[in-house]
Every structure is written in structure tokens, then in C-alpha cells.
């Protein structure tokens, strides 16, 4: 069942090219137009929405954070991302013009189910992004956009996460397409780039050995920090969550811009810090900003592990080690930069003799509130 891999998690990490390809499959017509037939919410309603709220928990909520950056950029619709259990117990401003997107691998997460009910009671339309056919969340939503990652067995989410991000892109691009021609060119470019992602993931998978060596050299580490900006920020959060959940190591993800507002006080000699570096393409001076963040922590003795795009020589000066991933548009980068972090958590857990598929105290789907 594990297909020759040591664990389900290892297999599922390697399933990611297929999971992404399958989630993209059949969602475009011959002219490259997106056809999300599953979204049978009236087009007039979809055109009139003035706010989106993504509700989810854990890793699925990080996929939602990636969605925020991308959908706001493509659609110019404000997107909020909220943990389902927080959304449920407050008085959110939701009405018929709000599109709520519930993201869940299992479709059975009780916190998310309750939030879906809460949103619908207030008149919002709910689209579920889900990996499990016929589960509760898609059944209770107005429409479902399925991720086609296949069954995910390991408690730690990997291929479902990447597929959720892809589904969020598709939803955002579809809404952009619905909302007018001026998006068409960019939609085309991104769709084309998305098709190339599975092949690029294959390349990232080849970093496994390099990650394993790194894990071996830091196996007694007590604390790891992850820094990212823009779409790299949710990737940093995901890297930290994977490490807590699998290797039981204290880990935190930060938006790199927050460093000087507090977290930099944590940096001392030998502190392991992962930094997710954005591409050098456009986007103001974000790349330069992250380079100076690396410099800041390095100057205080941090062991800086950098994830950057191929060809980015500028990162080398301040990096203890660099993991290079293929170039892709910034907004799509999480589909690549997450993978070394998945490997890292898995390798450290393995070295500590832990059960990577079934970490302590956790369940694959959390069916209680
Ligand atoms: O099934 P769901 O996507 O609703 O699950 C949400 C979270 O419980 C889940 O992503 C959890 O955080 C994972 N164990 C993370 O690896």
C-alpha cells in the first residue's frame, strides 16, 4: 500500500506531482478557458459577491492564506481567512454577497462543519474545497470543488495541502474570468504555468537526500524558526506546523517583516532558521527585503537554511545552506517551496524514531469540536 516507501507520508509527498496534475485535469476547455462545472452557484451571484471568507483549520487554513494573496490579486475581491472555530463563535459580517470557501481534506472536521452551518444561516453561499467525495462539508455546502489528491492516510497533510492550493487558484482564476476580460491574459499565463508545476515538483522531490543530510546534522535541535513573506508566509507557518506535529520540536513561523517587532530577540548562536525567499520577479523590492532579513538573523549567529529559486545567487552570501527550487511565478511558488519543509519534518521525525504517519495525540480527522 505504501508503494515501496517507508511511510504513507513519504509516499504522499511523492504523490504530489500526480495530485496537482489530477486536480487540474478536465477543468479547462480546448481554448484554455476554465470551466468549473461543479460550481453551480448562479453566475450572477458569483459576479456580485463583494467579499470572500475562507474558513478552515490547520494546514487547510494555510492553503486559505495562500488563496488570500492570489485571489485578491486576480479578482480584486477582499478575502479574509479565518480559523473555522474562531469564525463560528463570533458575529462575523456575512451576507448574501459573501462567498464563503470551506477548505477541508476530510470534509468531516467538526469545527469547519459548524462554521459552514453558521455562514449559511446568515445567507452566505458556501463553496467547499474538499478531498473526500460525499463527505459532510461538501454535502452541506452550495457547491463543491474537489481536490483530486487521492486518499491521504498520513495524519500530516501533504498532497492534500498542495491540491487545496491548486483548487483555490482555480476558484480565483475562475472568478477573475467571470469578472471580465482584463484578467484574461494573466489567467492564461498562470494556467499555462500551472500545467508545468507537476514536472517542477518532480525536480523538488530530488532534494530529499540533501534535506536528509541537513536533518542528520541538526537532529538534536530544540527549536526551529521559519520566516517568509507574502505567499512565503503561509509556507513558513506550514513548515512549523509539520515540525511540531511530526518531530515534536518547538517551531514557529513568522512573517519575516515581524522579526524586528519581537521575534529577533530569539536569535542566538546556532538557532536554526528557515527562510523562504520570494522570486526576483516584479513585486516591489520583496526579494531584497527578504535577503536583508536573512542577513539580520545571520549576523546574530543563526544557522540560515534558505529556500530560493534556481539562479538566485544573491542568497548565497548569507545562507548556511540553500535549497533551490525551479523558477515559477511568485504566486505559484508555495507548490514548490513547501516540499523541502515536508521532507525536513519527516526526516527529523524518522531520525528520532517516531511514527511519522501517526504522531501522538493527533487524529487524521478531528470530528469533535
Ligand atoms: O480534514 P481537514 O483538512 O479539515 O483537517 C484540517 C486539519 O485538522 C489538518 O490540516 C491538520 O492541521 C493536519 N494534521 C496538518 O498536517
Amino acid at each position: 500500500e505504501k508503494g515501496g516507501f517507508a511511510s504513507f507520508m513519504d509516499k504522499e509527498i511523492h504523490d504530489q506531482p500526480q495530485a496537482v496534475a489530477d486536480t487540474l485535469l478536465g477543468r479547462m476547455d480546448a481554448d484554455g478557458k476554465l470551466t468549473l462545472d461543479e460550481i453551480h452557484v448562479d453566475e450572477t451571484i458569483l459576479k456580485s459577491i463583494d467579499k470572500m471568507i475562507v474558513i478552515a483549520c490547520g494546514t487547510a487554513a494555510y492553503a486559505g492564506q495562500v488563496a488570500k494573496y492570489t485571489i485578491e490579486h486576480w479578482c480584486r475581491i477582499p478575502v479574509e481567512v479565518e480559523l473555522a472555530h474562531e469564525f463560528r463563535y463570533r458575529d462575523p459580517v456575512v451576507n448574501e454577497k459573501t462567498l464563503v470557501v470551506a477548505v477541508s481534506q476530510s470534509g468531516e472536521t467538526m469545527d469547519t462543519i459548524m462554521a459552514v452551518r453558521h455562514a449559511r444561516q446568515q445567507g452566505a453561499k458556501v463553496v467547499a474545497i474538499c478531498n473526500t467525495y460525499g463527505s459532510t462539508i461538501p454535502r452541506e455546502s452550495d457547491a463543491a470543488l474537489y481536490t483530486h489528491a487521492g486518499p491521504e492516510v498520513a495524519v500530516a497533510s501533504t498532497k492534500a495541502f498542495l491540491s487545496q492550493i491548486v483548487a483555490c487558484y482555480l476558484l480565483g482564476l475562475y472568478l477573475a474570468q467571470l469578472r471580465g476580460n482584463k484578467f484574461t491574459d494573466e489567467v492564461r499565463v498562470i494556467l499555462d504555468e500551472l500545467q508545468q508545476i507537476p514536472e517542477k515538483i518532480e525536480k523538488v522531490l530530488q532534494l530529499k537526500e540533501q534535506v536528509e543530510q541537513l536533518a542528520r546534522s541538526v537532529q538534536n535541535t530544540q527549536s526551529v524558526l521559519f520566516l517568509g513573506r507574502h505567499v512565503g508566509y503561509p509556507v513558513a507557518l506550514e513548515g512549523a506546523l509539520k515540525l511540531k506535529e511530526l518531530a515534536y520540536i518547538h517551531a514557529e513561523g513568522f512573517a519575516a517583516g515581524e522579526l524586528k517587532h519581537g521575534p529577533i530577540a530569539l536569535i542566538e548562536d546556532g538557532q536554526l532558521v528557515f527562510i523562504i525567499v520570494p522570486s526576483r520577479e516584479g513585486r516591489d523590492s520583496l526579494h531584497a527585503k527578504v535577503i536583508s532579513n536573512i542577513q539580520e538573523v545571520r549576523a546574530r549567529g543563526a544557522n540560515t537554511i534558505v529556500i530560493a529559486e534556481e539562479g538566485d545567487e544573491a542568497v548565497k552570501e548569507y545562507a548556511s545552506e540553500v535549497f533551490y527550487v525551479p523558477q515559477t511565478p511568485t504566486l505559484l511558488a508555495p507548490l514548490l517551496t513547501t516540499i523541502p519543509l515536508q521532507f525536513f519534518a519527516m526526516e527529523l521525525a524518522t531520525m528520532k524514531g517516531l511514527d511519522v504517519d501517526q504522531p501522538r495525540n493527533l487524529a487524521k480527522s478531528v470530528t469533535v469540536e
Side-chain angles (χ1 to χ4, degrees):
E1 262 184 343
K2 293 177 193 162
F5 290 95
S7 61
F8 279 105
M9 185 183 179
D10 199 7
K11 173 184 179 291
E12 288 161 7
I13 290 174
H14 286 85
D15 281 347
Q16 291 181 119
Q18 196 64 47
V20 167
D22 287 349
T23 300
L24 289 170
L25 199 71
R27 278 162 170 168
M28 261 164 270
D29 66 17
D31 308 327
K33 239 182 138 208
L34 272 173
T35 48
L36 297 190
D37 297 333
E38 315 95 300
I39 310 287
H40 28 68
V41 175
D42 194 318
E43 281 197 8
T44 13
I45 295 178
L46 285 180
K47 279 183 191 159
S48 71
I49 57 164
D50 62 8
K51 179 165 88 172
M52 285 174 71
I53 306 178
V54 182
I55 48 173
C57 302
T59 289
Y62 300 146
Q65 289 197 25
V66 175
K68 175 181 169 67
Y69 288 90
T70 52
I71 297 178
E72 288 191 341
H73 175 68
W74 291 328
C75 302
R76 309 309 299 150
I77 304 170
V79 181
E80 293 171 15
V81 187
E82 191 160 11
L83 295 169
H85 34 90
E86 285 298 313
F87 176 86
R88 162 75 182 85
Y89 288 103
R90 63 180 187 92
D91 189 12
V93 182
V94 171
N95 56 40
E96 307 71 42
K97 289 192 161 185
T98 313
L99 182 67
V100 168
V101 181
V103 184
S104 175
Q105 187 286 129
S106 62
E108 299 297 348
T109 300
M110 188 52 75
D111 288 318
T112 312
I113 295 173
M114 297 308 282
V116 167
R117 290 180 187 158
H118 192 55
R120 291 193 80 195
Q121 270 159 14
Q122 289 169 74
K125 290 282 177 226
V126 179
V127 173
I129 289 182
C130 188
N131 197 45
T132 313
Y133 290 89
S135 57
T136 307
I137 291 170
R139 270 194 285 116
E140 293 209 12
S141 300
D142 295 284
L145 180 59
Y146 282 101
T147 48
H148 296 154
E152 193 181 61
V153 177
V155 165
S157 188
T158 54
K159 62 177 178 174
F161 178 58
L162 260 56
S163 309
Q164 284 160 352
I165 295 175
V166 170
C168 288
Y169 291 154
L170 291 174
L171 180 63
L173 291 167
Y174 179 68
L175 292 174
Q177 191 179 269
L178 270 185
R179 291 166 86 89
N181 294 335
K182 69 178 166 146
F183 298 102
T184 311
D185 283 349
E186 192 179 350
V187 169
R188 287 238 167 86
V189 172
I190 291 285
L191 284 175
D192 186 49
E193 289 283 349
L194 266 173
Q195 301 297 338
Q196 299 172 36
I197 290 287
E199 215 174 292
K200 293 181 181 177
I201 294 177
E202 293 286 2
K203 285 204 176 144
V204 183
L205 293 176
Q206 292 168 14
L207 293 174
K208 187 179 176 196
E209 238 168 72
Q210 193 192 342
V211 179
E212 201 183 319
Q213 275 169 27
L214 168 71
R216 197 168 301 122
S217 70
V218 297
Q219 55 177 304
N220 296 320
T221 190
Q222 302 288 316
S223 144
V224 185
L225 305 181
F226 295 83
L227 303 177
R229 292 177 91 116
H230 193 262
V231 290
Y233 172 36
V235 173
L237 296 173
E238 170 64 2
L241 179 61
K242 286 282 103 69
L243 204 56
K244 290 178 226 188
E245 148 170 81
L246 292 168
Y248 317 151
I249 290 175
H250 179 260
E252 260 193 273
F254 299 109
E258 274 296 287
L259 262 181
K260 55 186 171 304
H261 300 287
I264 200 162
L266 288 169
I267 308 293
E268 54 187 13
D269 224 20
Q271 171 68 52
L272 192 58
V273 183
F274 279 84
I275 306 104
I276 296 99
V277 179
S279 77
R280 292 152 298 168
E281 144 213 312
R283 226 156 293 285
D284 306 312
S285 49
L286 199 62
H287 178 263
K289 287 269 162 42
V290 176
I291 301 283
S292 71
N293 292 141
I294 306 175
Q295 202 175 338
E296 282 155 15
V297 292
R298 173 70 173 231
R300 288 162 179 85
N303 183 7
T304 48
I305 312 301
V306 169
I307 299 172
E309 67 174 10
E310 272 162 12
D312 186 347
E313 297 294 320
V315 294
K316 280 191 173 155
E317 195 178 342
Y318 307 109
S320 313
E321 180 154 6
V322 187
F323 291 90
Y324 280 115
V325 302
Q327 294 180 8
T328 193
T330 303
L331 293 173
L332 305 187
L335 297 174
L336 306 179
T337 52
T338 303
I339 297 168
L341 306 183
Q342 297 171 338
F343 275 141
F344 183 69
M346 184 182 79
E347 296 295 352
L348 262 191
T350 307
M351 279 167 200
K352 291 176 84 172
L354 302 172
D355 182 342
V356 293
D357 287 335
Q358 194 56 255
R360 69 185 177 199
N361 307 340
L362 291 169
K364 181 62 184 162
S365 56
V366 184
T367 53
V368 290
E369 261 195 279

